[in-house]
Amino acid sequence: MLTQLINAKILTPQGWLNSGSVLIKDDKILEVTNCDLPIIGAKLIDIKGMYVIPGGVDIHVHGGGGRDFMECTEEAFRTAAKAHLLHGTTAIFPTLSSSTVPMIMQAADTCDKLMKEPDTTIMGLHLEGHYLNPEMAGGQLPENIKNPDPNEYIPIIESCPAIRRWDAAPELPGAIQFGKYITEKGILAAVAHTQAEFEDMRAAFDAGYSHATHFYNAMAGFHKRHEYKYEGTVESVYLLDNMTCEVIADGIHVPPTILRLVYKLKGVERTCLITDALACAASTRQDAFDPRVIIEDGVCKLADHSALAGSIATMDRLIRTMVQKADIPLQDAVRMASETPAKLMGIYDRKGSLEKGKDADMIVMDKELNVRAVWSMGKLVPETDTIFKH
């Protein structure tokens, strides 16, 4: 079946097409062109001059729609992924907070099964911990945190092909060996929940750690010990030119001024937008799956107000925040939500941009950057088709 989107402002890798069309055949993009002439036999959809942009790629997300990926069940995975799909996330990497080994194994099995489904949005598993600095635990479960143990992580990696990313604090004993091992296995190594200073970070980068988890959150910045001052993890990420980072672009975890600073210093090609969303995102549920966590001021916090614990953001909110609050061009905000994470996670051959031959994943947004339609693998997601109702 052929579908043609016409009268659209389309973001391509070369820039905007101001009045173009996208031709979809089955689950693929057949053509993206500045020609609006109708194709004989195609179902025509008038986009009415709105934006057509690549579907979002969320590489750090704990849940949504009232379900958490730590439940490890197919139902929880499907529900959370669908909740984020309605807001424009067409490729998702389910994330586990610090977990037990049995939980990791169960979640990996579930993820592996769902990844093999033909129209899946699930791309692989992300483990945030449990090899983290306990002093920077934040919302992580402290009882699960420990130092990297090869007798534990090697069997996990060998038996869980769904794992695509694993985060750790590089200053921990055994963390350098861990980084080398998982990198050799093709798994993205990221620094997280850490007090690493520059020498720690340089050693980590040399060992394969190439990415910074929720930049600025749960990591040390410029600080003082006695009379002397030291760079923190934040400054080290800036100094390591080729280290990528991700930001929770809800405007709360990182204020808009700092979002703009990250954009200015790290750039589009080395910055990803993430939700870090908990179960309560895209949900009427008013708790965050974790009884220690409350929802307040549009964000999840530990009940004692000692730390932020996660977000209730969705992909569309990330884009709006970057454009409307951080004053970043829409084109660049979209690339940080789609192209950059797709490249980072090795799926840019089929996701992350609107190009001939790629999966037909796209979002239609109006001028206020509200989602008006979502296509996933060439199929219009019915709950999002407000483009036809106005």
Side-chain angles (χ1 to χ4, degrees):
M1 177 181 175
L2 286 177
T3 302
Q4 186 181 12
L5 281 56
I6 62 171
N7 188 24
K9 187 169 183 178
I10 306 164
L11 181 60
T12 74
Q14 292 75 40
W16 291 104
L17 298 180
N18 288 319
S19 184
S21 69
V22 181
L23 190 62
I24 302 168
K25 183 176 182 181
D26 300 324
D27 59 353
K28 300 293 183 184
I29 296 172
L30 191 61
E31 195 62 77
V32 180
T33 175
N34 58 4
C35 177
D36 246 354
L37 293 176
I39 303 295
I40 296 173
K43 177 184 177 182
L44 291 181
I45 299 177
D46 187 355
I47 303 300
K48 304 175 184 177
M50 289 187 276
Y51 301 111
V52 176
I53 61 176
V57 179
D58 197 349
I59 64 174
H60 187 155
V61 50
H62 295 275
R67 305 303 295 268
D68 193 290
F69 292 120
M70 288 180 76
E71 295 176 64
C72 304
T73 65
E74 287 187 36
E75 182 185 4
F77 271 59
R78 292 185 196 279
T79 300
K82 178 64 178 295
H84 285 282
L85 175 62
L86 299 180
H87 291 269
T89 296
T90 56
I92 193 167
F93 288 83
T95 303
L96 299 189
S97 296
S98 294
S99 305
T100 64
V101 172
M103 288 175 66
I104 292 171
M105 301 294 279
Q106 185 182 352
D109 285 345
T110 297
C111 191
D112 188 56
K113 180 179 180 180
L114 298 183
M115 287 170 66
K116 295 174 181 176
E117 296 183 348
D119 293 333
T120 189
T121 64
I122 294 173
M123 299 289 107
L125 191 65
H126 165 209
L127 303 180
E128 186 188 6
H130 47 288
Y131 306 138
L132 307 175
N133 190 320
E135 298 298 319
M136 304 297 286
Q140 299 282 328
L141 293 170
E143 62 267 26
N144 291 337
I145 292 176
K146 59 182 295 188
N147 292 335
D149 179 358
N151 294 319
E152 180 178 82
Y153 63 72
I154 291 176
I156 292 174
I157 295 298
E158 294 297 330
S159 60
C160 299
I163 297 172
R164 296 289 187 269
R165 169 180 166 185
W166 202 331
D167 304 354
E171 70 272 23
L172 297 179
I176 296 299
Q177 179 186 355
F178 170 72
K180 290 179 180 178
Y181 179 79
I182 66 170
T183 302
E184 289 170 356
K185 296 294 182 178
I187 296 169
L188 177 69
V191 299
H193 293 264
T194 175
Q195 292 182 330
E197 296 176 352
F198 183 70
E199 291 307 318
D200 302 311
M201 288 292 290
R202 183 160 59 183
F205 185 77
D206 291 343
Y209 290 90
S210 59
H211 187 67
T213 300
H214 45 48
F215 194 35
Y216 276 94
N217 288 277
M219 61 178 61
F222 184 69
H223 57 281
K224 185 177 179 181
R225 288 198 300 271
H226 304 296
E227 67 271 35
Y228 297 109
K229 299 176 183 68
Y230 297 85
E231 75 292 327
T233 311
V234 170
E235 292 77 23
S236 301
V237 171
Y238 282 131
L239 287 168
L240 294 165
D241 292 338
N242 291 323
M243 179 163 274
T244 57
C245 67
E246 62 189 30
V247 287
I248 308 170
D250 61 358
I252 300 172
H253 277 81
V254 183
T257 50
I258 302 301
L259 291 173
R260 185 157 182 82
L261 179 66
V262 176
Y263 165 75
K264 183 175 181 179
L265 296 184
K266 293 303 287 187
V268 174
E269 292 80 7
R270 294 187 176 89
T271 305
C272 305
L273 308 186
I274 60 161
T275 62
D276 195 13
L278 301 188
C280 47
S283 172
T284 57
R285 179 172 168 171
Q286 292 303 300
D287 63 88
F289 185 75
D290 185 339
R292 303 172 303 142
V293 173
I294 61 171
I295 303 172
E296 188 177 84
D297 303 327
V299 72
C300 297
K301 306 176 182 179
L302 292 183
D304 64 2
H305 292 85
S306 62
L308 298 177
S311 89
I312 58 172
T314 50
M315 185 60 64
D316 51 339
R317 179 177 168 184
L318 306 183
I319 295 171
R320 282 194 299 273
T321 299
M322 294 296 280
V323 174
Q324 297 172 356
K325 296 184 178 180
D327 197 28
I328 288 166
L330 176 59
Q331 175 176 337
D332 289 346
V334 171
R335 289 178 62 201
M336 289 186 283
S338 55
E339 175 189 312
T340 304
K343 287 180 175 178
L344 185 70
M345 300 305 296
I347 60 171
Y348 189 65
D349 59 326
R350 53 197 170 107
K351 307 284 184 182
S353 66
L354 301 182
E355 296 179 82
K356 180 178 180 179
K358 289 197 172 184
D359 293 341
D361 295 344
M362 62 195 78
I363 314 169
V364 176
M365 285 185 138
D366 61 24
K367 301 303 180 184
E368 288 72 43
L369 304 182
N370 299 305
V371 172
R372 298 292 294 275
V374 176
W375 272 265
S376 177
M377 297 296 289
K379 295 182 176 66
L380 176 63
V381 180
E383 297 92 329
T384 69
D385 61 354
T386 61
I387 188 173
F388 306 117
K389 299 174 181 177
H390 296 272

